Amino acid sequence: MNLDELQAEVEKLLALLKDRQPGLMTWNMFLNERLEAVQKMIESAGVSSR
């Protein structure tokens, strides 16, 4: 796992959470995309996120 890539994805996720707009469909889609990207990175490192 590349820690720089993980950090970049987490920073994008944090930016979305900082500017919460849960009523907007696009915000929810972007949040879901970021969460999936972080989860895939964690899983590729062999660490279970569940």
Side-chain angles (χ1 to χ4, degrees):
M1 170 174 46
N2 182 325
L3 292 179
D4 291 333
E5 290 176 9
L6 179 59
Q7 180 178 351
E9 287 299 327
V10 169
E11 287 173 356
K12 291 176 192 175
L13 178 59
L14 290 172
L16 279 170
L17 291 172
K18 192 174 189 178
D19 185 28
R20 288 186 183 104
Q21 298 178 21
L24 293 177
M25 191 165 119
T26 53
W27 183 87
N28 285 301
M29 289 180 353
F30 288 142
L31 180 64
N32 189 48
E33 289 173 6
R34 297 286 59 85
L35 288 171
E36 287 178 359
V38 169
Q39 182 177 4
K40 285 179 186 176
M41 290 179 159
I42 291 169
E43 287 172 355
S44 73
V47 178
S48 176
S49 61
R50 295 176 193 200

